[in-house]
Amino acid sequence: MTNYKIIFTGPVGAGKTTAISSISDRPPVSTDKVATDMTRNVKKTTTVACDYGTVRLNGSDCLHLYGTPGQQRFDFMWDILTTGGIGLILLLDNTRPDPFQDMEFFLDQFQDFINQTQVAIGVTQTDLKSAPCIDDYHKHLDKQGSTIPIFEVDARKRQDVSLLIKALLFSLDPGLVENND
Amino acid sequence: MGNHAKPVRIAALGMEQRTYSTLQLFFHGHCQDSYVLVEEKSADISIIDMDGFQAYRMLEEHKKHYPDQPSILISLSDNKAHDAVYVRKPIQLEALSSALRSAKKRLQQQPVAKISVPKISVKEVAEAKASVAKNTAKNTPKLQTADNTPNAVPPVLNDVIHRPKTVVKHAKPGSNHFNQYRYAADALTEDTDIELIDTKLAARFNPLNPVQVAKFQYQSKQTLQGYFQQAYFMALQKKRNIVLKGAWRPITILYKSKQLRVEKNFRHLYALSGMFFDKSEVSIAVLDNSVDCEPSIHETVLPAEPFLWKLSMRTSRGRVPVDTNFTAPIKLIRWPNFTRTIVTPHALRIAALWAKRPTSLVDTANYLAIPLQYVFIFYNAAVSLNFVTPEMAKKDRTTTSSPPVKRHQYRKIFQDLLDRLRNN
Ligand SMILES: Nc1nc2c(ncn2[C@@H]2O[C@H](COP(=O)(O)OP(=O)(O)OP(=O)(O)O)[C@@H](O)[C@H]2O)c(=O)[nH]1
Ligand SMILES: [Mg+2]
């Protein structure tokens, strides 16, 4: 039995826990705690260790979904998290003061991992705040030279999260066959 | 036009305008004009959309007046209540062709005397159509549609009339078909459009054969897509709002928010995708920044990119703009925002491939083992938004020597996961 991991990362409140719950077979194990100090005025609960969900595949294989805590003081865990990972989903919250800075921060943190795998970016809460638009995110990335899938995503919608993961999978291997698409 | 026999005359009844346009295209392209759309009273065979408002009443009326006319019923559901031939939506090319063949057979079995109307030529049909084409949207009576959208614009004839300034009235007020026209759910006709593409047509496509190349190219600049594209990028570049006028209600492009102000019933704009307009019929005007751009009560505001994406997808019909290089590697510059825009067949795979390694249109179809026209549809939409760019072809190649991207060591796992994501 082999285990594979997709890692979900992003700032506090971007929707990592929610995204994992919308595609996990079982309700994810979360370590949400009532937020204290720095996150309290952002949201009621926050993930303090990590989220964990699973998707059972054929045979005994299993895909593990790991969500990193959004609070930056947990960054010592990130290396442990990424071992065995097949790709990264970065969720960004469009209502945050500087989502581009968030993007740069997380891409930088996971740079080595991304170089070995792929990343797909979902921008959440665009229903609450429509600017900046997806195009603006692309413009910020143009400097980097790589073409990363960036979609508007509502973490509560399975379809959105699923499309983001599909884009990640095809980026890893465009030769995959989507039956019925 | 390879068919010189008299065309079989078909009446399309109760049809949403895009289904109507699609049929027309199918008859003209795939069937090489061996069928032609005419009015009910001069038809040999009728095709009736059973999902329309009052479809059953219309069918009864039709049977009463034209008891001998073979009919083909199309519907989303499997309805076998009538002894007519049923074709399920989304319409499969083969199913429709075979239904037409069997209707034609039935027609030939009928005694000649029963066909009461005199045979007419294609030319007469075209003239008849042109004569109904006199009504502009302005003097067309308001149609009450099934979804209660007032003032729906009637179906538009394309292909037959090359440069129509007008829209065609499809139902007369007071007739039984008065209420038949409605806007159907978007997805239905989009599927239908793509289903109607004969993917075998490009199976042996040779990019070096000019005759074949011409078949899969179109003058994009002369379509609504082309004019809109021109106006949109002009607005972004000039940082000014722009209004685009033509055989449609004005479209205002709001550069700052990348939005459009269009009439509420904007969906009929997609049905204009099969038409060509001369430059003289279209105007692009830069608006003064002081002009108030608030939508009126008859208008709505849409995001511009998904609109252009969809319009280009509809316009493509499996073709690409003239001057497209079929062998130059195509590079993806920007992923479309796929959660909020239509995912054309195999779009994710094509995008991923072009992001990873620029690949020509022909090689892409080969490598991904998909119909070339699906690559064309995606390319057409993506290039209209500058999401892709052709790179200089190093040499003219028509075949792939090796797969452009190697198989991932975890392909089986990814494939499993993909299937799981699809299944629930
Ligand atoms: N309106 C709106 N709400 C969203 C969207 N995506 C997620 N949410 C909500 O945003 C809230 C925060 O989501 P979480 O999943 O807890 O965020 P998180 O990334 O796990 O946050 P931390 O664990 O604190 O780092 C939840 O209430 C979600 O339901 C969206 O696109 N729109
Ligand atoms: Mg969380």
Side-chain angles (χ1 to χ4, degrees), chain B residues 152-167:
Chain B
V153 175
V156 171
L157 284 174
N158 53 16
D159 297 328
V160 176
I161 307 156
H162 183 58
R163 285 203 247 137
K165 274 196 164 132
T166 52
V167 281

Side-chain angles (χ1 to χ4, degrees), chain B residues 175-193:
Chain B
S175 82
N176 291 321
H177 309 148
F178 181 52
N179 288 326
Q180 71 198 16
Y181 175 63
R182 63 181 190 130
Y183 292 112
D186 264 5
L188 165 68
T189 30
E190 265 140 28
D191 282 356
T192 309
D193 279 357

Side-chain angles (χ1 to χ4, degrees), chain B residues 254-270:
Chain B
L254 311 170
Y255 79 91
K256 209 182 262 166
S257 57
K258 295 182 175 170
Q259 286 176 323
L260 311 176
R261 218 184 70 199
V262 287
E263 64 175 293
K264 280 220 172 83
N265 290 324
F266 64 91
R267 284 191 179 82
H268 82 272
L269 290 169
Y270 298 122

Side-chain angles (χ1 to χ4, degrees), chain A residues 12-18 43 46-47 70 125 127-128 153-156:
Chain A
V12 173
K16 303 174 294 291
T17 303
T18 313
K43 57 203 287 267
T46 187
T47 308
Q125 334 271 352
D127 53 325
L128 302 178
V153 161
D154 187 327
R156 298 163 300 180

